[in-house]
Amino acid sequence: MNWSVVTDNAGLLLEAFGTTLWVAGATIVLSVVLAFPLAVMRDGPIRSLRIVSAVFSWVMRATPALTLLFLTYFGLPQVGIYLAAVPAAIAGLTLSATGYNMEYIRAGLRAVPSTQYEAARALGMPFPMILRRVIVPQAIRTIMPPLTSNLTLVMKGSSLAGMVAVTELTGAGMALISRTYQPFEILIVIGLAYLMLNGVLIWLQHRVENWLSLPGQG
């Protein structure tokens, strides 16, 4: 094996790694933040909001992530909205991830026995307080495993950003391979980079689960 192809192009690979981290990190944060209110709306008391969130979930999960990327990068300019490559990639990936995340969060919220909600209502607690104090602390234990699994897919799926002119890690690696004809070393480095990033996500999941298992937490 000739590792000079990696060391000679370390600057390019590190820059692409930073782009991947930014795209994936922003997508993960935005998709989780957006998914929670949509999950609450999905089973909320207002019928119009239930319909809107249900349609959003269905469309986002039924549409390939790559199609959403093309829509945000190539389609939005047709209606006068212009986004650079990285924001367009983040927007498209966020839409796709949110559709899945909201269903995982919704399932976790529904797993909490309805008697918990009814008891809190009987005590006169407003709905936002019921969510914050009663429902979410119990639901998070159910939400974390499937949500984290989906976020690891989001991390790996950030490689799709290369299809809309974003120089992320996989795209940069493929360009190097086409130039140097040395795929093995480059693919090992790319694989280790994704392994590290997803390892951090899984570690954070375990940390949160361990914290919630402590007496007085959750």
Side-chain angles (χ1 to χ4, degrees), residues 46-195:
I46 303 176
R47 185 172 182 271
S48 58
L49 294 181
R50 289 201 306 270
I51 293 173
V52 169
S53 60
V55 170
F56 176 86
S57 173
W58 179 74
V59 171
M60 293 304 110
R61 288 184 295 142
T63 305
L66 186 57
T67 300
L68 293 172
L69 279 174
F70 286 159
L71 285 174
T72 54
Y73 187 67
F74 298 111
L76 288 181
Q78 304 302 314
V79 294
I81 301 174
Y82 297 89
L83 295 176
V86 170
I90 292 172
L93 292 172
T94 296
L95 288 173
S96 179
T98 301
Y100 291 95
N101 288 345
M102 66 174 286
E103 292 299 331
Y104 296 129
I105 294 172
R106 176 186 173 223
L109 295 175
R110 296 188 73 176
V112 178
S114 60
T115 52
Q116 299 284 323
Y117 176 79
E118 293 164 1
R121 288 284 292 173
L123 292 173
M125 296 175 66
F127 185 67
M129 183 180 291
I130 293 173
L131 281 176
R132 189 175 69 253
R133 294 284 190 87
V134 179
I135 305 299
V136 172
Q138 297 179 72
I140 195 70
R141 295 181 177 91
T142 306
I143 292 169
M144 282 301 296
L147 181 63
T148 304
S149 295
N150 189 56
L151 295 183
T152 61
L153 293 177
V154 171
M155 182 70 73
K156 291 180 285 188
S158 63
S159 60
L160 290 174
M163 301 298 292
V164 291
V166 176
T167 308
E168 43 71 49
L169 186 57
T170 302
M174 293 302 104
L176 278 178
I177 290 171
S178 66
R179 198 169 74 224
T180 63
Y181 300 101
Q182 293 180 305
F184 192 69
E185 298 88 344
I186 296 170
L187 290 176
I188 286 178
V189 171
I190 293 173
L192 289 174
Y194 281 109
L195 182 66

Side-chain angles (χ1 to χ4, degrees), residues 15-27 155 158 168-169 197:
E15 183 178 354
F17 177 82
T19 301
T20 291
L21 187 60
W22 168 240
V23 170
T27 299
M155 182 70 73
S158 63
E168 43 71 49
L169 186 57
L197 291 174

Side-chain angles (χ1 to χ4, degrees), residues 25-36:
T27 299
I28 286 170
V29 171
L30 290 173
S31 65
V32 172
V33 169
L34 293 172
F36 185 80

